[in-house]
Amino acid sequence: MTGTKLLPRLSPIGVEKCLASLRDQTDGYLEPGATMDHRLKAYEAHIWYAASGGSVDRALVEEIMGKVSDIAHHCGYPAPATDRKRASFDTRVAAYFGQHPDLGGGELLRDDVWAFMSCVLLQEFTIWRYSVERKARFAGGVRNTFQRLWVRGRTLDLGPEYEKRWHLLGTLSEDAMVQIFERASIASNACLARAIAMAWEAAADRIGRGRMEKVMRQATKLIRLRNQVIDLSYLSEEALTAEINSAFTRASSEIASDSDAMKAEEEQFSAYDRMSQALSR
């Protein structure tokens, strides 16, 4: 029987040390490309492992460092990151985490594991993707640079039987991702999260991506309210899809109605303004 593969964890004090050293480039600052041994040595006082239940797997940690480094360089690192490069990086890393057979256990549910990833193991890529001033991207939690990608990859994986297994990762906008994965009532239910992602894609194809931010926010409100009336997690896949699509259809109609009303008011105001100018001549 194979035990759990334990990953390093970084304490909250270690996160603070990382942020302070990055600002001042003092003790704890890691030069890009620093070796694994150097990284572990720099933060050894703040790194720890689960007391039991598995064994430390250095090979897995080194693999993660190497693979994410390869992805980052493929996406343009160390040149300044553009929006397109960041999006490509996020999609590729999320897919890597999502399909990795050793990255699906309870260890990955720990915020301090992801703090280690962002602050120590993958420090230079956290800085490249964001900046040293974004504490939430270093500390563990829903906004951690890599934890958020792991959750997306594990949730939006359509399975190896699909030709476009990861297309939801590349299709959804960042705003849509935030609406799904920064709300516990949605993100905690993988089936619900995937249904919303698919409904978003269908709505975007129908009305255009440019209008989807308002539609997504309104649909999310409707879905969360609906979830208070009936527990969506107990619905069949067909019933859940129908509920979510209904919310997006309603949200699209409401946004369109508001836009039409606003356009009518603007046209009425413009006509009034032209009339006033004509009378004042």
Side-chain angles (χ1 to χ4, degrees):
M1 180 175 178
T2 303
T4 301
K5 295 185 176 183
L6 302 180
L7 296 170
R9 303 175 180 185
L10 186 69
S11 70
I13 296 176
V15 174
E16 295 299 330
K17 174 184 178 179
C18 170
L19 295 172
S21 65
L22 288 177
R23 295 187 189 103
D24 303 329
Q25 294 193 11
T26 55
D27 179 45
Y29 171 75
L30 299 170
E31 292 287 347
T35 65
M36 174 70 72
D37 288 335
H38 183 74
R39 291 170 190 272
L40 296 176
K41 181 70 174 177
Y43 287 88
E44 63 180 344
H46 309 291
I47 293 174
W48 63 290
Y49 298 84
S52 62
S55 57
V56 177
D57 194 320
R58 181 184 172 109
L60 176 59
V61 179
E62 290 180 334
E63 179 202 326
I64 293 170
M65 183 172 71
K67 182 60 177 180
V68 173
S69 176
D70 289 344
I71 292 172
H73 283 86
H74 182 274
C75 294
Y77 174 88
T82 62
D83 288 344
R84 178 171 293 185
K85 291 177 181 178
R86 294 188 187 99
S88 178
F89 177 77
D90 285 356
T91 298
R92 291 172 180 273
V93 173
Y96 166 66
F97 286 151
Q99 65 187 323
H100 199 294
D102 294 324
L103 297 180
E107 277 286 276
L108 282 304
L109 298 175
R110 298 278 312 197
D111 286 351
D112 44 8
V113 166
W114 292 107
F116 169 80
M117 296 278 195
S118 293
C119 291
V120 183
L121 187 68
L122 307 169
Q123 186 185 101
E124 59 265 49
F125 309 122
T126 306
I127 299 169
W128 177 73
R129 179 63 181 80
Y130 292 103
S131 75
V132 298
E133 302 303 323
R134 307 284 291 278
K135 179 179 179 178
R137 304 303 183 179
F138 290 85
V142 295
R143 294 195 170 185
N144 175 276
T145 300
F146 298 100
Q147 188 171 356
R148 55 191 261 285
L149 301 182
W150 175 77
V151 173
R152 293 177 186 185
R154 305 305 291 194
T155 303
L156 298 181
D157 180 5
L158 297 179
E161 66 273 17
Y162 284 84
E163 182 180 355
K164 296 182 178 180
R165 179 178 180 179
W166 305 104
H167 86 277
L168 289 176
L169 291 175
T171 295
L172 269 67
S173 67
E174 184 62 24
D175 177 76
M177 291 287 195
V178 169
Q179 294 299 315
I180 294 173
F181 292 105
E182 292 193 12
R183 286 171 168 73
S185 60
I186 294 174
S188 61
N189 185 333
C191 291
L192 175 58
R194 280 193 297 274
I196 293 174
M198 292 177 182
W200 186 96
E201 180 184 25
D205 289 341
R206 186 172 66 251
I207 68 174
R209 293 175 64 92
R211 301 172 63 187
M212 284 305 299
E213 184 170 332
K214 290 183 178 180
V215 170
M216 180 62 173
R217 292 172 185 269
Q218 182 62 16
T220 301
K221 292 178 183 178
L222 295 173
I223 292 166
R224 294 173 71 192
L225 287 172
R226 186 60 173 163
N227 203 26
Q228 297 299 313
V229 178
I230 60 171
D231 191 339
L232 297 176
S233 64
Y234 284 96
L235 296 180
S236 65
E237 183 177 348
E238 294 76 12
L240 178 61
T241 299
E243 285 282 353
I244 302 306
N245 285 336
S246 175
F248 272 86
T249 298
R250 179 178 170 185
S252 301
S253 299
E254 291 176 357
I255 297 300
S257 297
D258 291 343
S259 298
D260 291 342
M262 185 177 294
K263 183 177 180 180
E265 289 179 2
E266 290 176 351
E267 291 176 349
Q268 186 176 17
F269 179 81
S270 297
Y272 176 79
D273 186 51
R274 289 194 298 270
M275 183 182 296
S276 297
Q277 290 179 6
L279 293 174
S280 64
R281 291 174 182 169

